Amino acid sequence: QKEVEQDPGPLSVPEGAIVSLNCTYSNSAFQYFMWYRQYSRKGPELLMYTYSSGNKEDGRFTAQVDKSSKYISLFIRDSQPSDSATYLCAMSLYGNKLVFGAGTILRVKS
Amino acid sequence: DAGVIQSPRHEVTEMGQEVTLRCKPISGHDYLFWYRQTMMRGLELLIYFNNNVPIDDSGMPEDRFSAKMPNASFSTLKIQPSEPRDSAVYFCATLRNRAGELFFGEGSRLTVL
């Protein structure tokens, strides 16, 4: 079993839809949870950063962490074609050595 | 700041050849990471350094891989001899403090024929 599980997709949605992306993990000691966005032929860029449990909102993006279920989510409201990318969840014990999910390919159709 | 700079962006080589990938980290970042990304295995951590010292190289696949960080401004990842299964995108990433945003370079796309 992988330490972090993420459905690779692809996930295809119409413009304006609400997108839900998820990861599960096995290591209950993880404290730092992140979402990275990666455009084609580019390096990943940090989208959301959460320490411990709870929700965090930034514009159209909301990150949720449920440590009791070992489950994290990223919601994208009013999705745009420019959101089309691969979304990678990542987590860490101390914030430095990150373990990444496989990434979910998202396609937003106009 | 120019961000993390990697070279070469693309490398095509033949099996058995030596490959050297280079990384210039963001100034002032204490941590440097080398990741490998493939469709099959996703992003895998190969090795990371803190203040130029290798901390964890447990992800280095085998002895053919080696990494150095001779100073705070430069790191290399070397594969010798290269094999077709080493074909991947290799990313260098840096971190200012123990916890925070990891900044990635644009990657070096390696193809070994």
Side-chain angles (χ1 to χ4, degrees), chain B residues 47-64:
Chain B
I47 185 171
Y48 80 93
F49 297 82
N50 179 213
N51 292 322
N52 313 337
V53 176
I55 302 300
D56 185 345
D57 66 353
S58 59
M60 296 286 260
E62 47 199 276
D63 292 345
R64 298 184 297 106

PDB file of all heavy atoms in Angstrom, chain B residues 47-64:
ATOM      1  N   ILE B  47      16.813  12.398  -2.838  1.00  0.00           N
ATOM      2  CA  ILE B  47      17.767  12.797  -1.810  1.00  0.00           C
ATOM      3  C   ILE B  47      17.469  14.233  -1.416  1.00  0.00           C
ATOM      4  O   ILE B  47      16.918  14.995  -2.217  1.00  0.00           O
ATOM      5  CB  ILE B  47      19.226  12.682  -2.328  1.00  0.00           C
ATOM      6  CG1 ILE B  47      20.248  12.987  -1.223  1.00  0.00           C
ATOM      7  CG2 ILE B  47      19.447  13.583  -3.540  1.00  0.00           C
ATOM      8  CD1 ILE B  47      21.690  12.676  -1.638  1.00  0.00           C
ATOM      9  N   TYR B  48      17.792  14.602  -0.155  1.00  0.00           N
ATOM     10  CA  TYR B  48      17.729  16.014   0.179  1.00  0.00           C
ATOM     11  C   TYR B  48      18.895  16.435   1.059  1.00  0.00           C
ATOM     12  O   TYR B  48      19.475  15.619   1.781  1.00  0.00           O
ATOM     13  CB  TYR B  48      16.371  16.408   0.762  1.00  0.00           C
ATOM     14  CG  TYR B  48      16.102  16.107   2.214  1.00  0.00           C
ATOM     15  CD1 TYR B  48      16.355  17.064   3.199  1.00  0.00           C
ATOM     16  CD2 TYR B  48      15.518  14.906   2.592  1.00  0.00           C
ATOM     17  CE1 TYR B  48      16.054  16.820   4.523  1.00  0.00           C
ATOM     18  CE2 TYR B  48      15.219  14.652   3.917  1.00  0.00           C
ATOM     19  CZ  TYR B  48      15.475  15.610   4.877  1.00  0.00           C
ATOM     20  OH  TYR B  48      15.169  15.364   6.201  1.00  0.00           O
ATOM     21  N   PHE B  49      19.221  17.700   0.953  1.00  0.00           N
ATOM     22  CA  PHE B  49      20.337  18.312   1.664  1.00  0.00           C
ATOM     23  C   PHE B  49      19.799  19.406   2.594  1.00  0.00           C
ATOM     24  O   PHE B  49      18.824  20.085   2.279  1.00  0.00           O
ATOM     25  CB  PHE B  49      21.306  18.986   0.679  1.00  0.00           C
ATOM     26  CG  PHE B  49      21.972  18.057  -0.291  1.00  0.00           C
ATOM     27  CD1 PHE B  49      21.320  17.649  -1.450  1.00  0.00           C
ATOM     28  CD2 PHE B  49      23.262  17.607  -0.065  1.00  0.00           C
ATOM     29  CE1 PHE B  49      21.932  16.802  -2.359  1.00  0.00           C
ATOM     30  CE2 PHE B  49      23.890  16.764  -0.967  1.00  0.00           C
ATOM     31  CZ  PHE B  49      23.220  16.361  -2.118  1.00  0.00           C
ATOM     32  N   ASN B  50      20.493  19.585   3.705  1.00  0.00           N
ATOM     33  CA  ASN B  50      20.244  20.715   4.590  1.00  0.00           C
ATOM     34  C   ASN B  50      21.583  21.394   4.827  1.00  0.00           C
ATOM     35  O   ASN B  50      22.526  20.746   5.286  1.00  0.00           O
ATOM     36  CB  ASN B  50      19.616  20.246   5.899  1.00  0.00           C
ATOM     37  CG  ASN B  50      19.364  21.392   6.877  1.00  0.00           C
ATOM     38  OD1 ASN B  50      19.452  21.236   8.084  1.00  0.00           O
ATOM     39  ND2 ASN B  50      19.032  22.552   6.364  1.00  0.00           N
ATOM     40  N   ASN B  51      21.660  22.671   4.493  1.00  0.00           N
ATOM     41  CA  ASN B  51      22.922  23.404   4.614  1.00  0.00           C
ATOM     42  C   ASN B  51      24.077  22.655   3.949  1.00  0.00           C
ATOM     43  O   ASN B  51      25.155  22.496   4.529  1.00  0.00           O
ATOM     44  CB  ASN B  51      23.242  23.682   6.088  1.00  0.00           C
ATOM     45  CG  ASN B  51      22.269  24.673   6.697  1.00  0.00           C
ATOM     46  OD1 ASN B  51      21.843  25.630   6.043  1.00  0.00           O
ATOM     47  ND2 ASN B  51      21.890  24.441   7.938  1.00  0.00           N
ATOM     48  N   ASN B  52      23.820  22.168   2.742  1.00  0.00           N
ATOM     49  CA  ASN B  52      24.789  21.504   1.869  1.00  0.00           C
ATOM     50  C   ASN B  52      25.144  20.083   2.308  1.00  0.00           C
ATOM     51  O   ASN B  52      25.952  19.424   1.658  1.00  0.00           O
ATOM     52  CB  ASN B  52      26.096  22.309   1.749  1.00  0.00           C
ATOM     53  CG  ASN B  52      25.855  23.771   1.480  1.00  0.00           C
ATOM     54  OD1 ASN B  52      24.811  24.155   0.981  1.00  0.00           O
ATOM     55  ND2 ASN B  52      26.827  24.603   1.814  1.00  0.00           N
ATOM     56  N   VAL B  53      24.578  19.599   3.392  1.00  0.00           N
ATOM     57  CA  VAL B  53      24.895  18.268   3.899  1.00  0.00           C
ATOM     58  C   VAL B  53      23.778  17.301   3.510  1.00  0.00           C
ATOM     59  O   VAL B  53      22.610  17.596   3.756  1.00  0.00           O
ATOM     60  CB  VAL B  53      25.050  18.286   5.438  1.00  0.00           C
ATOM     61  CG1 VAL B  53      25.284  16.879   5.968  1.00  0.00           C
ATOM     62  CG2 VAL B  53      26.171  19.233   5.852  1.00  0.00           C
ATOM     63  N   PRO B  54      24.126  16.147   2.911  1.00  0.00           N
ATOM     64  CA  PRO B  54      23.066  15.179   2.580  1.00  0.00           C
ATOM     65  C   PRO B  54      22.452  14.615   3.860  1.00  0.00           C
ATOM     66  O   PRO B  54      23.165  14.135   4.735  1.00  0.00           O
ATOM     67  CB  PRO B  54      23.808  14.104   1.773  1.00  0.00           C
ATOM     68  CG  PRO B  54      25.241  14.244   2.154  1.00  0.00           C
ATOM     69  CD  PRO B  54      25.454  15.674   2.506  1.00  0.00           C
ATOM     70  N   ILE B  55      21.130  14.691   3.937  1.00  0.00           N
ATOM     71  CA  ILE B  55      20.417  14.253   5.138  1.00  0.00           C
ATOM     72  C   ILE B  55      19.773  12.881   4.934  1.00  0.00           C
ATOM     73  O   ILE B  55      19.811  12.028   5.808  1.00  0.00           O
ATOM     74  CB  ILE B  55      19.328  15.269   5.544  1.00  0.00           C
ATOM     75  CG1 ILE B  55      19.941  16.650   5.776  1.00  0.00           C
ATOM     76  CG2 ILE B  55      18.560  14.782   6.770  1.00  0.00           C
ATOM     77  CD1 ILE B  55      20.985  16.705   6.864  1.00  0.00           C
ATOM     78  N   ASP B  56      19.175  12.690   3.786  1.00  0.00           N
ATOM     79  CA  ASP B  56      18.441  11.447   3.542  1.00  0.00           C
ATOM     80  C   ASP B  56      18.575  11.086   2.067  1.00  0.00           C
ATOM     81  O   ASP B  56      18.070  11.803   1.225  1.00  0.00           O
ATOM     82  CB  ASP B  56      16.972  11.630   3.927  1.00  0.00           C
ATOM     83  CG  ASP B  56      16.161  10.345   3.827  1.00  0.00           C
ATOM     84  OD1 ASP B  56      16.634   9.372   3.190  1.00  0.00           O
ATOM     85  OD2 ASP B  56      15.048  10.301   4.368  1.00  0.00           O
ATOM     86  N   ASP B  57      19.285   9.998   1.798  1.00  0.00           N
ATOM     87  CA  ASP B  57      19.445   9.548   0.408  1.00  0.00           C
ATOM     88  C   ASP B  57      18.775   8.196   0.197  1.00  0.00           C
ATOM     89  O   ASP B  57      19.119   7.460  -0.735  1.00  0.00           O
ATOM     90  CB  ASP B  57      20.912   9.492   0.021  1.00  0.00           C
ATOM     91  CG  ASP B  57      21.685   8.436   0.803  1.00  0.00           C
ATOM     92  OD1 ASP B  57      21.100   7.836   1.741  1.00  0.00           O
ATOM     93  OD2 ASP B  57      22.867   8.208   0.498  1.00  0.00           O
ATOM     94  N   SER B  58      17.817   7.877   1.056  1.00  0.00           N
ATOM     95  CA  SER B  58      17.176   6.563   0.988  1.00  0.00           C
ATOM     96  C   SER B  58      16.382   6.357  -0.302  1.00  0.00           C
ATOM     97  O   SER B  58      16.076   5.235  -0.662  1.00  0.00           O
ATOM     98  CB  SER B  58      16.271   6.347   2.198  1.00  0.00           C
ATOM     99  OG  SER B  58      15.283   7.338   2.261  1.00  0.00           O
ATOM    100  N   GLY B  59      16.058   7.445  -0.988  1.00  0.00           N
ATOM    101  CA  GLY B  59      15.304   7.324  -2.231  1.00  0.00           C
ATOM    102  C   GLY B  59      16.164   7.137  -3.466  1.00  0.00           C
ATOM    103  O   GLY B  59      15.643   6.888  -4.554  1.00  0.00           O
ATOM    104  N   MET B  60      17.465   7.233  -3.318  1.00  0.00           N
ATOM    105  CA  MET B  60      18.358   7.040  -4.470  1.00  0.00           C
ATOM    106  C   MET B  60      18.246   5.579  -4.902  1.00  0.00           C
ATOM    107  O   MET B  60      18.511   4.668  -4.099  1.00  0.00           O
ATOM    108  CB  MET B  60      19.791   7.387  -4.086  1.00  0.00           C
ATOM    109  CG  MET B  60      19.967   8.859  -3.727  1.00  0.00           C
ATOM    110  SD  MET B  60      19.924   9.920  -5.175  1.00  0.00           S
ATOM    111  CE  MET B  60      21.670  10.182  -5.415  1.00  0.00           C
ATOM    112  N   PRO B  61      17.892   5.340  -6.139  1.00  0.00           N
ATOM    113  CA  PRO B  61      17.546   3.972  -6.566  1.00  0.00           C
ATOM    114  C   PRO B  61      18.695   2.978  -6.482  1.00  0.00           C
ATOM    115  O   PRO B  61      18.494   1.838  -6.137  1.00  0.00           O
ATOM    116  CB  PRO B  61      17.042   4.138  -8.002  1.00  0.00           C
ATOM    117  CG  PRO B  61      17.342   5.519  -8.401  1.00  0.00           C
ATOM    118  CD  PRO B  61      17.662   6.321  -7.218  1.00  0.00           C
ATOM    119  N   GLU B  62      19.880   3.382  -6.789  1.00  0.00           N
ATOM    120  CA  GLU B  62      21.012   2.449  -6.756  1.00  0.00           C
ATOM    121  C   GLU B  62      22.307   3.234  -6.858  1.00  0.00           C
ATOM    122  O   GLU B  62      22.300   4.452  -6.979  1.00  0.00           O
ATOM    123  CB  GLU B  62      20.877   1.426  -7.879  1.00  0.00           C
ATOM    124  CG  GLU B  62      20.551   2.025  -9.226  1.00  0.00           C
ATOM    125  CD  GLU B  62      19.984   0.986 -10.191  1.00  0.00           C
ATOM    126  OE1 GLU B  62      20.777   0.283 -10.831  1.00  0.00           O
ATOM    127  OE2 GLU B  62      18.738   0.884 -10.279  1.00  0.00           O
ATOM    128  N   ASP B  63      23.395   2.488  -6.817  1.00  0.00           N
ATOM    129  CA  ASP B  63      24.704   3.145  -6.765  1.00  0.00           C
ATOM    130  C   ASP B  63      25.032   3.934  -8.028  1.00  0.00           C
ATOM    131  O   ASP B  63      25.969   4.731  -8.019  1.00  0.00           O
ATOM    132  CB  ASP B  63      25.810   2.108  -6.533  1.00  0.00           C
ATOM    133  CG  ASP B  63      25.728   1.507  -5.140  1.00  0.00           C
ATOM    134  OD1 ASP B  63      25.020   2.106  -4.303  1.00  0.00           O
ATOM    135  OD2 ASP B  63      26.352   0.478  -4.905  1.00  0.00           O
ATOM    136  N   ARG B  64      24.292   3.731  -9.067  1.00  0.00           N
ATOM    137  CA  ARG B  64      24.550   4.489 -10.289  1.00  0.00           C
ATOM    138  C   ARG B  64      24.200   5.976 -10.106  1.00  0.00           C
ATOM    139  O   ARG B  64      24.635   6.808 -10.890  1.00  0.00           O
ATOM    140  CB  ARG B  64      23.733   3.911 -11.452  1.00  0.00           C
ATOM    141  CG  ARG B  64      24.079   2.470 -11.802  1.00  0.00           C
ATOM    142  CD  ARG B  64      23.298   2.006 -13.029  1.00  0.00           C
ATOM    143  NE  ARG B  64      21.850   1.991 -12.809  1.00  0.00           N
ATOM    144  CZ  ARG B  64      21.010   2.896 -13.320  1.00  0.00           C
ATOM    145  NH1 ARG B  64      21.458   3.867 -14.088  1.00  0.00           N
ATOM    146  NH2 ARG B  64      19.717   2.806 -13.070  1.00  0.00           N
TER     147      ARG B  64
END
